[in-house]
Amino acid sequence: MAKQQTSKRKQQDPNKKYRKLFWKIFAGGILVVFLLFLLASWGVFGSLPDETSLENPEKNLATEIISTDGKVLGKFYKENRTPVQYEELPKHLVEALIATEDARFYDHSGIDAKGTLRAFAFLGSRGGASTISQQLAKLFFTDRVSKSKLERAFQKIKEWIIATRLERRYTKEEIITMYFNEYDFVNEAIGIESAAHIYFNKAPKHLDLQESAILVGMFKNSSLYNPKRNPEGVRNRRNVVIGQMEKYGYITEAQKDSLQALPLKINFTPQGHDEGIATYFREYIRSFMHDWIKENPKTDGSNYNIYSDGLKIYTTIDSRMQRYAESAVDQHMRNLQKEFDLQNKKNKTAPFRHVTKEEIDKIINSAMRRSDRWRIMKNQGKSDKEIIKSFDVKKPMTIFSWSGNIDTTMTPRDSIRYYKRFLQSSLMSMTPQTGEVKAWVGGINYKFFKYDMVKKGKRQVGSTFKPFVYATAIDQMHMSPCDTLPNTQYTIEAGKYGLLKPWTPKNAGGSYGGMLTLKEALANSVNTVTARLIDRVGPRPVIELVKKMGIDTKDIPPAPSIALGTPDISLYELVGAYSTFANQGVHINPILVTQIEDKNGTVLYQNIPKTKDVISKEVAYVTLSLMEGVTQSGSGSRLRHTWRKDKVYKSVVTGYPYGFKNPIAGKTGTTQNNSDGWFMGIVPNLVTGVWVGGEDRSVHFGSIAYGQGATMALPIWALYMKKCYADKTLNVSDGNFKKPGKLTIETDCSKWKEDNNEEFEDEDFDEFE
């Protein structure tokens, strides 16, 4: 009977042994998984990040160059990443991420159990199980995703462990923020801040919903869903994200339909060093930081790295004024180049003038030896003969033109001559009372012409040097703008000031005779008057004056010819020196960087202005009064024209006539053979200098009508200032220059002529420009 019952029970439960086997396998599996996680946590399958790495996971942060009006001018980076705070992320951006990547994000602690079981059960065919925390762990600590399934499984286990640790250490909001900051959106857009600017030219907080959906869609595979290369795929992926947002209740069905119907709109704005605004200035900042880093190590003795330490460099550049300056240079130079090319059609040695074939060969060969090609091939051990031969082999290349870059094939030697034909330009604008540089344009196109003509380049300054001679005479001799001198040729004898032979400068127009006031003489750049003044005061006091005003004088000889502008001076130095006149005789070193902060906001550097009293308020004001004559009746009077009076200007200059009515002190400058054209313009709270010329002095216009500073450089100043005055938020002054309380030198020449009939004895004079 008992045997029958036992037999019956066995018959009643035939699957018992299979159930036992199942539970044993299940328990064994759990134990294996537990052991795998335990061994992984002990580092058996490779080291896990330590506590310090988890505490500071963000790495390789870009250094930002920030304008005085809060705009990012550019960045230095290994990876173009700038972190943002959670508060800077729009709500719909976060919602789009959660709806698409991790719908149960707020319900798990790093591992989504439900999603993991689903992924195992269906082998990933119904979606993966990776949470945002796991993806973040992968971004931070998986340097290379293994192609081996077994090795990748171990990587996944480590990512799970790291994800749970991240969840314990950070809030959900911090994890989301780090994920947005870390992801590579391609096209040098690492992190949401860079991506928003590169794809839409706006900050993340200003993204609209469909823009947010585009960026979130890229999390699936940014290389595949690259807006630049796959717009159709990006649009489809955007619509998937929008659909997910509707599925989880973040938007309505009507919103979904409306958004999905929108065309794809991308405003691609690259952030490479050759692109964007203030490119020449940014390169100067790189050099500035290179020197600053060497002198300012970290507390642990190591050096800061501008490509990965996430520094913030606050500058004086105003992004609005910088854009106006670059626009003015662009407008005028493309127009001037057309005329230059037109005049060179009959020039057999174009773009050079007044040089022999041998001299041209020397110019080209010199440029070859300074080129990157020469340097690279020399480092490769190539002989000079081999290198020179390579310059005559045609190569595919992209070349600059004012109508757009051109893909072509030419020899490197021919490309050198091609680039020599382009006229160059530079502009610097500065607030004289503070020393803050507001705009800096070092050339016409940084990508193709790297040499910075604001600070690196030095050229003869022509008549823009004359105000320093006049200021010295006013300071030493108490001369008035109304004092008169003869406009006759004047000779300084041999032996004086070390002259080997007599020096008799001529006026540019060859016109002499009569008496001229100092104001008239400077307005029309009369050389003979300047020669008399330099003889009265001597060259050395003039050199001492410009040295106090920030000009490097080691290469300026104490010769009277400096009065006519023979010294080579940079635009940077010249603008700084002219600012002394506008700042009532006080020189302030130009300021470009105001503050440097580390990634945590700790101030590492703060600029302290360096000032120096150079001349009295009265001398500064009287010199400004002299220079006002330049724009009232002299070589700068075209600024005042209200109708097209000048035929040359009508054919060459964009924006003419200008019709300025406010007080402007200025000075034009033209050097020998029209190689350099200058204009220095001053209003009470802004000093701006402009230079135009060829890379080589033999590249120039054939006549002074086109080659003078009033034609080449002044129009850029005018275009720039018109834009600045149109922008009322800049508060550029159109008022009078500040007059000293006590003025002992007469500046009103109409009144002076009535009260004073005295004339200077045996003086003669001259004109130039």
Side-chain angles (χ1 to χ4, degrees):
M1 184 73 176
K3 288 182 179 180
Q4 289 178 350
Q5 289 177 344
T6 302
S7 177
K8 191 175 181 180
R9 281 197 299 270
K10 285 182 179 180
Q11 291 176 0
Q12 288 175 346
D13 194 11
N15 298 321
K16 183 176 182 179
K17 63 178 181 179
Y18 297 111
R19 286 200 301 273
K20 284 182 179 181
L21 180 61
F22 168 79
W23 286 111
K24 284 179 181 180
I25 294 172
F26 181 79
I30 294 293
L31 182 61
V32 168
V33 171
F34 175 77
L35 286 173
L36 285 172
F37 272 85
L38 184 64
L39 292 171
S41 67
W42 289 345
V44 172
F45 306 128
S47 61
L48 288 169
D50 57 21
E51 292 299 312
T52 303
S53 297
L54 287 173
E55 191 68 44
N56 299 287
E58 291 185 345
K59 53 190 176 180
N60 289 336
L61 302 180
T63 288
E64 292 184 309
I65 306 166
I66 302 170
S67 69
T68 191
D69 56 323
K71 305 295 183 182
V72 176
L73 297 173
K75 301 178 183 181
F76 301 125
Y77 54 83
K78 288 179 182 175
E79 298 178 349
N80 185 15
R81 178 189 294 108
T82 301
V84 299
Q85 301 299 314
Y86 182 79
E87 293 72 23
E88 298 174 67
L89 302 174
K91 184 181 177 184
H92 52 68
L93 179 66
V94 175
E95 291 172 345
L97 177 69
I98 292 172
T100 308
E101 297 291 318
D102 191 353
R104 287 180 290 276
F105 175 69
Y106 290 108
D107 300 325
H108 62 68
S109 298
I111 299 175
D112 181 3
K114 184 177 178 181
T116 302
L117 289 174
R118 183 194 65 222
F120 274 122
F122 296 98
L123 301 177
S125 63
R126 295 192 181 180
S130 186
T131 64
I132 290 174
S133 305
Q134 288 171 248
Q135 292 176 53
L136 180 62
K138 177 183 174 183
L139 288 175
F140 276 147
F141 303 111
T142 302
D143 294 327
R144 180 186 59 83
V145 176
S146 177
K147 293 181 179 178
S148 164
K149 291 184 178 180
L150 181 61
E151 189 177 343
R152 181 62 191 133
F154 287 135
Q155 285 182 339
K156 275 281 190 182
I157 291 170
K158 288 197 289 184
E159 289 166 9
W160 286 343
I161 294 169
I162 296 168
T164 58
R165 290 185 181 181
L166 289 172
E167 287 273 354
R168 289 198 301 267
R169 187 170 293 275
Y170 297 102
T171 65
K172 292 288 188 180
E173 288 75 19
E174 288 172 330
I175 288 171
I176 283 177
T177 305
M178 286 190 288
Y179 189 42
F180 273 118
N181 283 334
E182 187 68 15
Y183 191 74
D184 185 351
F185 292 88
V186 300
N187 295 312
E188 295 189 329
I190 299 180
I192 192 66
E193 195 272 349
S194 296
H197 279 97
I198 286 175
Y199 293 120
F200 304 110
N201 197 24
K202 61 177 66 172
K205 62 184 176 183
H206 296 135
L207 293 169
D208 61 32
L209 196 150
Q210 71 100 16
E211 291 167 343
S212 292
I214 290 171
L215 296 179
V216 167
M218 294 178 72
F219 279 108
K220 185 174 180 65
N221 184 335
S222 56
S223 295
L224 176 61
Y225 298 109
N226 182 340
K228 193 176 178 183
R229 295 183 177 179
N230 183 14
E232 187 60 32
V234 170
R235 185 177 183 275
N236 292 337
R237 181 61 186 164
R238 178 203 67 179
N239 289 349
V240 169
V241 174
I242 292 169
Q244 288 294 103
M245 293 184 74
E246 187 271 335
K247 175 182 176 180
Y248 289 102
Y250 292 116
I251 58 175
T252 65
E253 185 176 359
Q255 286 176 304
K256 180 198 75 170
D257 294 339
S258 175
L259 289 166
Q260 288 181 337
L262 291 174
L264 188 72
K265 287 188 177 180
I266 301 294
N267 181 10
F268 188 64
T269 312
Q271 288 189 339
H273 195 64
D274 289 347
E275 287 89 19
I277 67 168
T279 45
Y280 291 92
F281 174 75
R282 283 150 47 192
E283 186 57 33
Y284 165 80
I285 291 297
R286 191 201 302 271
S287 175
F288 173 90
M289 291 301 296
H290 179 266
D291 295 337
W292 181 86
I293 283 168
K294 287 192 293 187
E295 298 171 5
N296 298 272
K298 296 179 182 178
T299 53
D300 63 3
S302 63
N303 287 333
Y304 286 100
N305 189 325
I306 63 171
Y307 303 104
S308 60
D309 280 342
L311 303 177
K312 282 185 167 49
I313 306 168
Y314 293 92
T315 72
T316 59
I317 295 293
D318 186 294
S319 68
R320 297 161 295 182
M321 298 174 78
Q322 180 68 29
R323 289 186 189 279
Y324 300 153
E326 292 181 11
S327 173
V329 169
D330 184 272
Q331 277 183 268
H332 179 59
M333 293 306 296
R334 64 172 62 242
N335 207 28
L336 191 68
Q337 187 68 45
K338 286 179 185 177
E339 182 64 30
F340 186 69
D341 291 344
L342 185 65
Q343 293 189 21
N344 267 323
K345 283 187 175 180
K346 296 181 180 180
N347 175 17
K348 294 181 180 179
T349 58
F352 310 102
R353 288 181 183 272
H354 308 134
V355 288
T356 63
K357 182 182 183 303
E358 290 72 23
E359 288 172 324
I360 292 173
D361 290 341
K362 188 176 179 180
I363 291 170
I364 300 297
N365 289 334
S366 176
M368 285 164 53
R369 290 178 180 274
R370 296 195 309 269
S371 68
D372 287 340
R373 170 180 290 275
W374 189 284
R375 176 180 54 79
I376 292 168
M377 293 186 72
K378 200 69 176 175
N379 290 339
Q380 292 171 346
K382 304 291 186 183
S383 66
D384 286 5
K385 186 177 180 180
E386 288 176 303
I387 298 172
I388 291 171
K389 185 178 180 181
S390 76
F391 276 87
D392 294 312
V393 178
K394 287 189 174 184
K395 305 280 184 183
M397 61 181 72
T398 301
I399 59 174
F400 169 81
S401 83
W402 279 112
S403 58
N405 298 341
I406 300 170
D407 292 325
T408 187
T409 301
M410 66 168 62
T411 68
R413 184 189 295 272
D414 288 340
S415 73
I416 289 174
R417 186 156 185 160
Y418 172 80
Y419 281 122
K420 292 289 186 184
R421 64 184 268 261
F422 287 98
L423 295 173
Q424 299 296 319
S425 180
S426 58
L427 178 152
M428 177 173 147
S429 192
M430 171 176 159
T431 303
Q433 291 78 19
T434 64
E436 295 182 348
V437 176
K438 295 299 180 184
W440 176 302
V441 184
I444 59 172
N445 185 296
Y446 180 78
K447 184 174 182 178
F448 294 94
F449 306 96
K450 292 284 195 287
Y451 197 72
D452 184 358
M453 288 302 297
V454 169
K455 200 167 194 289
K456 285 184 180 179
K458 292 191 174 188
R459 299 292 284 259
Q460 284 189 342
V461 294
S463 295
T464 59
F465 195 84
K466 288 177 180 176
F468 304 122
V469 179
Y470 280 72
T472 305
I474 295 166
D475 188 34
Q476 288 191 0
M477 306 174 67
H478 212 65
M479 294 186 75
S480 163
C482 310
D483 288 337
T484 58
L485 292 172
N487 179 21
T488 57
Q489 285 192 305
Y490 184 79
T491 299
I492 300 178
E493 65 274 16
K496 195 173 185 180
Y497 309 121
L499 290 174
L500 298 177
K501 58 183 180 180
W503 182 64
T504 309
K506 298 178 180 178
N507 287 334
S511 169
Y512 305 96
M515 303 292 290
L516 293 174
T517 65
L518 295 192
K519 196 163 191 173
E520 291 169 335
L522 183 65
N524 294 287
S525 240
V526 178
N527 289 340
T528 54
V529 173
T530 311
R532 291 175 183 276
L533 292 178
I534 193 74
D535 192 24
R536 286 189 174 194
V537 300
R540 289 191 183 277
V542 178
I543 292 173
E544 284 302 311
L545 175 68
V546 298
K547 183 178 181 180
K548 291 176 184 177
M549 290 181 169
I551 291 176
D552 181 5
T553 59
K554 67 177 182 292
D555 294 325
I556 300 180
S561 58
I562 66 172
L564 305 187
T566 56
D568 287 348
I569 298 173
S570 71
L571 180 63
Y572 175 87
E573 294 172 300
L574 205 56
V575 173
Y578 266 65
S579 292
T580 308
F581 298 126
N583 194 32
Q584 299 188 298
V586 179
H587 176 259
I588 300 181
N589 285 357
I591 297 170
L592 296 139
V593 177
T594 57
Q595 188 167 293
I596 301 171
E597 294 178 358
D598 67 12
K599 65 180 181 180
N600 300 315
T602 303
V603 177
L604 305 175
Y605 165 86
Q606 204 153 23
N607 182 275
I608 300 173
K610 296 177 181 178
T611 64
K612 181 188 294 183
D613 291 338
V614 179
I615 52 178
S616 68
K617 293 180 180 179
E618 182 176 45
V619 172
Y621 178 79
V622 172
T623 307
L624 285 173
S625 177
L626 276 169
M627 287 193 284
E628 282 190 87
V630 174
T631 67
Q632 290 166 349
S633 59
S635 55
S637 62
R638 291 180 178 91
L639 292 172
R640 307 290 183 188
H641 292 175
T642 56
W643 55 287
R644 294 186 178 276
K645 178 180 179 181
D646 192 312
K647 291 182 179 179
V648 169
Y649 252 44
K650 185 176 180 179
S651 65
V652 176
V653 180
T654 305
Y656 176 75
Y658 305 113
F660 286 99
K661 297 179 180 178
N662 56 292
I664 301 169
K667 189 69 194 82
T668 55
T670 309
T671 61
Q672 189 174 10
N673 293 327
N674 313 310
S675 294
D676 306 276
W678 296 82
F679 184 72
M680 305 297 297
I682 307 173
V683 297
N685 64 350
L686 196 64
V687 177
T688 304
V690 180
W691 166 85
V692 174
E695 181 182 332
D696 295 89
R697 296 180 197 271
S698 56
V699 177
H700 56 79
F701 276 102
S703 69
I704 198 169
Y706 294 93
Q708 63 180 302
T711 305
M712 291 212 295
L714 179 146
I716 293 175
W717 187 92
L719 292 167
Y720 168 65
M721 291 301 294
K722 292 286 270 188
K723 294 173 192 293
C724 287
Y725 278 127
D727 188 341
K728 300 302 181 184
T729 64
L730 296 176
N731 296 315
V732 176
S733 173
D734 60 358
N736 294 313
F737 293 100
K738 189 174 181 180
K739 195 173 184 178
K742 186 179 181 182
L743 189 63
T744 62
I745 299 174
E746 184 58 67
T747 58
D748 185 349
C749 295
S750 59
K751 179 182 177 183
W752 188 89
K753 285 180 180 178
E754 295 174 6
D755 299 341
N756 197 326
N757 293 317
E758 294 181 12
E759 294 180 357
F760 288 97
E761 298 178 5
D762 79 308
E763 304 289 353
D764 3 321
F765 258 20
D766 201 23
E767 154 185 278
F768 170 68
E769 180 73 7

